[in-house]
């Protein structure tokens, strides 16, 4: 047993600890502890009053037992008793026990708080410190309630001893962290700021911590701390190393305080006062200069302390992001550290450079270190350092070095630690997409990813490559060829089979001309993988096969043979069996025309934020994965206002129809944008082109989860929330419990069922003015959903009737009526609907619409059916409105105003001033204007808060140009809407429609 | 700072100080997990690592690992020196401190740490001030002079 060097030991405690250490087994230890616990319990319960020393000793033993990891359920009372002892050592042990073991037993808390209160008012600094420590250690809400007002008083009282001030400052900091609402701001705040001027550096250090914490939440209250902090910092960095005596640490002047002051300054923007700003810049330069001086000591403590200050200074420089020279100097300094022999410094340099890479000023400087960083990736022995190198490569990547960086990351991936593979895969996938100049490189990269690290390639990654291939027809042939070649490998990853199956199913025809990849060879290749794959992949392959039947009639027989085999038709898996049965049947009964339409190539996916980026964000926590380039622009724009740079990139962004925009674009609120639709879909074909899933839907009305299981297309579509963009091409209603059109986002009021409804329902009418899809009507029996698309003067509307009951609807009819004169302005042709709707099923009806001339009224949809023998009549106003026939028109400012003037005749203009019905959010307003059908023109109106738009209404007989201006007045919560068109009736109608939307 | 742990090469926890409220069960789980991570690291590796949402700064002195968990924005190097300063304080107080000193006088180790760090922030960086505070307390202890 070692000699206790100072103070009085507790012999009994030391013996007990020795005993425990001598225990040979866990059981022996527990036995010894139980014996001791019994002993202590009997002492505490005994008749004889224990003296303070014994109490202290036993409490201390209990504490020891607790710290060994055993539960302690008594002794709290004895510990609380010790608090009121006037012997310091007893009080101290009491407080220690409470700090470690306190629970929120309310009786005890009251007693503890009493003891603390007594000690705080004792004016004995040692006792006060113990009490403050206890508050800080426990930091519970009850304590905050009791002392949040008292502690600031102690902190700023003139006669408080320095050591107590330090404790009070940190105690307050802790209370503010746990219960900020209970710490009252008040006149003490100004006095706390002045503690930065205190003589005692210990007080300054503690106060700086407190002020930093408070300033993060209430920056305005502590603004004055900036000048004081700069002054203090300046005195420290210019002092000789001996000036600060005990606060000099291994020849570095007050490193802790310096770091804290630099940290405090990071709560604020660069000082506005030129003198203070200059002084701060000098400080930062001095710190950077000192890094170049030879070390004053060989001890690692010296270099650590010095570099701690240096790194914090660099953080501040990056935070300000306003002094290009400092940023570049910082970068050079970090560059030196990249090759330092100390692993710690290399790690920190890589980490710090990551943030430097996002500054416009230093991005280029960071890029010069690319070779060193790549080398670090290859040679560092510590995985945490390599991880930093990966992060930095990701941060410094831009168009100029993307190929090199992606290649290096790919080659690192082959040997990378398992723990970080998935993250690297995501990063490579993002960079490859973002900086792809030609998409063949992108496809190669992703296939390489799957080859090298297939197990770590998450669904998002392979979904994404398919989205991109489908949306870009210039890469489809290449993709088909490449996956075909990749599939030749004897052992390929299942993810590759998925991508391969999907792509060949869509685009296999593009390579079928080559005899080496003839349809049969393609099919045999895919089918050779079939038996090694999991159920979801097999299901996907079956879909690919049916697509093959459409693409290549010559292999129809072979594929039907496969589908017909027992291993498919009688597969134990319901999903596979059902697909085989349905696809086989489909291929037998449908004519080639129908097959061609049903199995047509997938329509393009709506562009949205890359799901991979979203995943990386989720993985790393929001905010930690800024899109590097995006971040740079933002910072740049923030500091310099709208600089040329940011505006040019914004233009470039808008004009490039590539996926770069996709990554950066904010997700729009649900709104429909006229999207080019294939001409085919507007022709009167017998069936609308639908995705495979949509077609399969009516075939299997009962299989609720049928297509949720694994159908890749519906997965792809549902990645973003179903409501993000309504421009989704006609796709299957996602199967869900209700089996209804739940892709439509809005909740609509439920109409009563009752006797024959004679009133025409129009509650939801105005919702459809700015969008094309959604739920139009709903009551307890029936839900009506709409999807529509328009092009010039033609439109097509898909009406979905969902039977919400479990019984059939008989004699179902749905017809469209154009009342009054509307039938001369609008042609609506409804295809007859099936007279029976099964319970829980959904019926689709297609309406073809033609606009002959401008119109005001809306057609009415009349529905009749028998439910349980009772005839139901429902009439709904169909949201076919004039603005649907808009084509957006882009134009510049000059053009716009010229046309505006031309349309100056009084009857051509209609103006309306109205109160805002919804909150005046400019993003929502923009989205609505775009959804209305016009082009939103940026930078046309001299007042940036106004909205300006232009478009042309197409009717069969004429085209009407239209200009729109919307001026919000946020103060009055009013809008003024002005429309000018060449026809007064059009101006009036559009104005009425649009003014209801805001 | 969120917490500080001292543990031995054999994975025995010698001291733990938590600066944010944490449930006992979570504490045990975190300690176990973190010890595993740190003990698995090789000598020349860097002293910092990311763990959960925290940064871990650790250093080994003889048989003992000193391990601090700090926030994302905290300065790693200065945390390393917080550890060193704490070791210096222990050393000065016990006279070339060893693991046994901390085992047998665990309460003293806690007192020293409390004088040095409070609420996870450094209270005073001056070795003299901290030791003075401890010695004063010891003085009070000796005056009281209990027999055992």
């Amino acid at each position: 047993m070692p000699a206790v060097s100072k103070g009085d030991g507790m012999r009994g405690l030391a013996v007990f600890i020795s005993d425990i250490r001598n225990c040979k087994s866990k059981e022996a230890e527990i036995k010894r502890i139980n014996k001791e616990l019994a002993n202590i319990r009997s002492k505490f319960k005994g008749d004889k009053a224990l003296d303070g020393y014994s109490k202290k000793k036993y409490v201390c033993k209990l504490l020891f037992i607790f710290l060994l990891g055993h539960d302690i359920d008594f002794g709290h009372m004895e510990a609380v008793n010790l608090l009121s002892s006037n012997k310091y050592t007893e009080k101290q042990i009491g407080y220690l026990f409470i700090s470690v073991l306190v629970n929120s037993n309310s009786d005890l808390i009251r007693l503890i708080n009493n003891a603390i209160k007594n000690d705080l008012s004792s004016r004995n600094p040692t006792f006060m410190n113990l009490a403050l420590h206890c508050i800080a250690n426990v930091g519970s809400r009850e304590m905050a309630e009791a002392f949040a007002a008292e502690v600031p008083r102690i902190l700023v009282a003139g006669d408080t001893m320095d050591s107590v001030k330090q404790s009070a400052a940190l105690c307050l900091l802790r209370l503010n962290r746990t219960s900020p609402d209970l710490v009252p701001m008040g006149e003490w705040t100004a006095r706390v700021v002045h503690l930065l001027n205190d003589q005692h550096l210990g007080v300054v250090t503690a106060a700086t911590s407190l002020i930093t914490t408070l300033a993060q939440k209430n920056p305005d209250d502590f603004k004055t701390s900036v000048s004081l902090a700069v002054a203090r910092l300046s005195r420290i960095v210019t002092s000789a190393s001996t000036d600060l005596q005990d606060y000099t640490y291994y020849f570095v002047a007050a490193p802790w305080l310096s770091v804290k002051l630099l940290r405090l300054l990071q709560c604020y923007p660069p000082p506005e006062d030129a003198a203070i700003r200059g002084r701060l810049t000098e400080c930062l330069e001095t710190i950077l200069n000192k890094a170049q001086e030879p070390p004053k000591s060989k001890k690692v403590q010296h270099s650590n302390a010095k570099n701690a200050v240096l790194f914090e200074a660099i953080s501040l420089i990056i935070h300000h992001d306003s002094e290009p020279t400092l940023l570049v100097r910082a970068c050079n300094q970090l560059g030196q550290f990249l090759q330092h022999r100390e692993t710690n410094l290399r790690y920190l340099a890589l980490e710090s450079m990551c943030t430097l890479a996002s500054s416009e000023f230093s991005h280029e400087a960071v890029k010069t270190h690319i070779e060193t960083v790549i080398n670090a990736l290859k040679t560092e022995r510590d995985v945490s350092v390599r991880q930093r190198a990966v992060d930095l490569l990701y941060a410094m990547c831009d168009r100029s070095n993307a190929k090199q960086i992606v290649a290096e990351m790919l080659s690192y991936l082959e040997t990378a630690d398992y723990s970080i593979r998935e993250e690297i895969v995501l990063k490579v996938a993002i960079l490859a997409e973002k900086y792809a100049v030609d998409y063949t490189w992108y496809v190669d990269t992703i296939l390489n990813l799957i080859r090298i690290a297939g197990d770590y390639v998450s669904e998002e990654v392979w979904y994404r490559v398919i989205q991109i291939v489908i949306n870009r027809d210039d890469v489809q042939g290449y993709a088909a060829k490449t996956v075909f070649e990749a599939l030749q490998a004897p052992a390929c990853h299942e993810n590759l089979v998925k991508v391969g199956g999907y792509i060949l199913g869509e685009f296999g025809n593009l390579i079928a001309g080559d005899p080496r990849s003839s349809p049969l060879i393609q099919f045999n290749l895919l089918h050779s993988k079939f038996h090694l794959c999991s159920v979801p992949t097999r299901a996907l392959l079956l879909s690919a096969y049916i697509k093959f039947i459409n693409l290549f009639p010559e292999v129809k027989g072979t594929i039907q043979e496969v589908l017909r085999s027992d291993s498919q038709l009688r597969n134990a898996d319901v999903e596979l069996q059902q697909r085989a049965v349905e696809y086989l049947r489909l291929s037998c009964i449908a004519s080639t025309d129908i097959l061609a339409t049903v199995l047509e190539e997938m329509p393009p996916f709506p562009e949205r934020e890359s799901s991979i980026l979203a995943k990386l964000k989720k993985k790393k926590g929001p905010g930690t994965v800024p899109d590097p380039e995006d971040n740079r622009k933002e910072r740049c724009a923030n500091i310099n206002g709208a600089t040329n740079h940011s505006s040019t990139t914004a233009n470039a962004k808008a004009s490039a129809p590539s996926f770069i925009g996709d990554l950066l674009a904010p997700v729009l609120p649900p709104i429909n944008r006229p999207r080019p639709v294939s001409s085919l879909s507007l022709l009167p074909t017998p069936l609308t082109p639908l995705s495979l899933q949509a077609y399969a839907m009516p075939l299997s009305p009962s299989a609720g989860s049928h297509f949720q299981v694994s159908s890749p297309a519906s997965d792809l579509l549902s990645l973003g929330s179903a409501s993000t963009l309504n421009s989704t091409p006609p796709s299957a209603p996602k199967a869900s419990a209700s089996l209804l059109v739940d892709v439509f986002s809005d909740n609509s009021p439920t109409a009563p069922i009752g006797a024959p409804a004679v009133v025409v329902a129009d509650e939801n009418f105005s919702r459809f003015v700015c969008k094309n899809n959604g739920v139009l009507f709903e009551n307890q029996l029936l839900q009506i959903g709409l999807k529509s698309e328009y092009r010039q003067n033609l439109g097509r509307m898909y009406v979905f009737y969902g039977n919400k009951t479990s019984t059939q609807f008989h004699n179902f009819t749905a017809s469209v009526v154009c009342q009054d004169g509307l039938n001369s302005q609008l042609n609506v042709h409804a295809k007859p609907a099936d007279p029976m709707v099964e319970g829980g099923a959904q019926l689709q009806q297609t309406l073809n619409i033609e606009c002959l001339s401008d119109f005001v009224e809306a057609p009415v949809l009349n529905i009749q059916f028998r439910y349980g023998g009772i005839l139901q009549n429902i009439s709904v106003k169909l949201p076919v409105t004039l603005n649907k026939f808009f084509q957006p028109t882009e134009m510049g400012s000059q053009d716009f105003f010229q046309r505006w003037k031309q349309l100056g005749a009084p009857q051509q203009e209609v103006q309306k001033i109205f109160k805002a019905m919804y909150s005046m959010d400019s993003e929502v307003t923009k989205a609505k204007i775009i959804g209305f059908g016009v082009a939103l023109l940026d930078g046309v109106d001299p007042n940036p808060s106004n909205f300006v738009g232009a478009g042309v209404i197409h009717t069969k007989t004429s085209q009407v140009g239209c200009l729109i201006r919307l001026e919000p007045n946020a103060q009055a919560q009013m809008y003024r809407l002005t429309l000018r068109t060449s026809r007064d009736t059009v101006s009036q109608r559009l104005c009425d429609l649009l003014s209801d939307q805001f | 700072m969120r917490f500080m742990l001292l543990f031995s090469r054999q994975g025995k926890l010698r001291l733990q100080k938590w600066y944010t409220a944490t449930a006992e069960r979570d504490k045990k789980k975190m300690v176990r997990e973190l010890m595993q991570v740190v003990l698995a690291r090789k000598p020349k590796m860097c002293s910092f690592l990311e763990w959960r949402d925290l940064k871990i700064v650790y250093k080994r002195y003889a048989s003992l690992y000193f391990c601090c968990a700090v926030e994302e924005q905290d300065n790693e190097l200065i945390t390393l020196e917080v550890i060193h300063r704490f070791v210096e304080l222990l050393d000065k107080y016990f006279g070339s401190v060893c693991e046994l000193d901390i085992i047998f006088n665990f309460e003293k180790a806690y007192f020293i740490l409390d004088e040095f760090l409070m609420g996870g922030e450094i209270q005073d960086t001056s070795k003299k001030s901290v030791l003075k505070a401890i010695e004063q307390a010891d003085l009070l202890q000796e005056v009281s002079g209990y027999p055992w």
Side-chain angles (χ1 to χ4, degrees), chain A residues 496-608:
Chain A
L496 181 65
V497 179
K498 290 180 188 162
V499 175
Y502 204 110
I503 288 182
L504 291 181
E506 294 291 330
F507 309 113
N509 55 325
L510 300 176
I511 56 167
D514 186 328
R516 285 165 300 177
S517 52
S518 72
L520 191 62
I521 296 179
Q522 285 187 43
F523 171 73
N524 285 337
L525 181 62
L526 277 182
H527 198 54
S528 69
K529 315 285 178 191
F530 188 91
H531 306 278
L532 303 168
C533 291
S534 63
V535 168
T537 308
R538 289 188 194 189
L540 185 151
L541 286 177
L542 288 179
S543 297
Y545 296 169
I546 185 76
K547 288 239 166 183
F548 267 26
I549 289 185
N550 172 45
L551 290 180
F552 317 118
E554 65 266 41
V555 294
K556 183 171 173 179
T558 318
I559 292 175
Q560 281 177 331
E561 216 37 58
V562 168
L563 292 175
R564 202 174 281 133
S565 73
D566 274 358
S567 62
Q568 308 298 352
L569 278 189
R570 299 191 178 181
N571 196 295
D573 185 90
V574 181
E575 170 72 26
L576 293 181
Q577 190 186 98
Q578 189 163 3
R579 281 195 191 210
V581 170
E582 287 174 3
Y583 291 161
L584 181 60
R585 191 86 193 110
L586 175 64
S587 71
C588 295
I589 58 168
S591 71
T592 32
D593 275 358
I594 292 177
L595 268 188
T597 335
V598 171
L599 301 170
E600 205 207 359
E601 182 183 316
M602 288 293 287
F605 288 92
E607 298 192 4
R608 61 164 85 92

Side-chain angles (χ1 to χ4, degrees), chain A residues 7-9 88-90 133 166-167 177 246-247 249-250 260 263 301 304 308 312 344 351 382 388, chain B residues 41 46-47 50 73 75-76 81 84 88 114 118 121 123-126 128 137 141-142 146 148:
Chain A
D8 69 337
Y88 180 77
T89 57
E90 290 166 17
H133 270 118
Q166 286 168 264
S167 304
R177 272 192 196 147
D246 213 25
Y247 289 89
Y249 179 83
Y250 291 87
K260 281 179 191 296
R263 179 102 222 113
Q301 282 75 27
N304 278 352
E312 206 60 55
N344 287 347
E351 186 183 58
D382 185 345
R388 290 286 83 83
Chain B
R41 290 176 64 85
C46 92
S47 312
E50 282 183 339
Q73 70 277 9
N75 189 309
E76 293 95 339
E81 294 318 294
H84 187 73
E88 284 185 348
D114 269 352
M118 182 169 170
E121 298 288 332
Q123 182 167 202
D124 204 325
T125 65
S126 153
K128 249 187 242 161
Q141 220 159 331
E142 269 154 14
Y146 272 101
W148 25 61

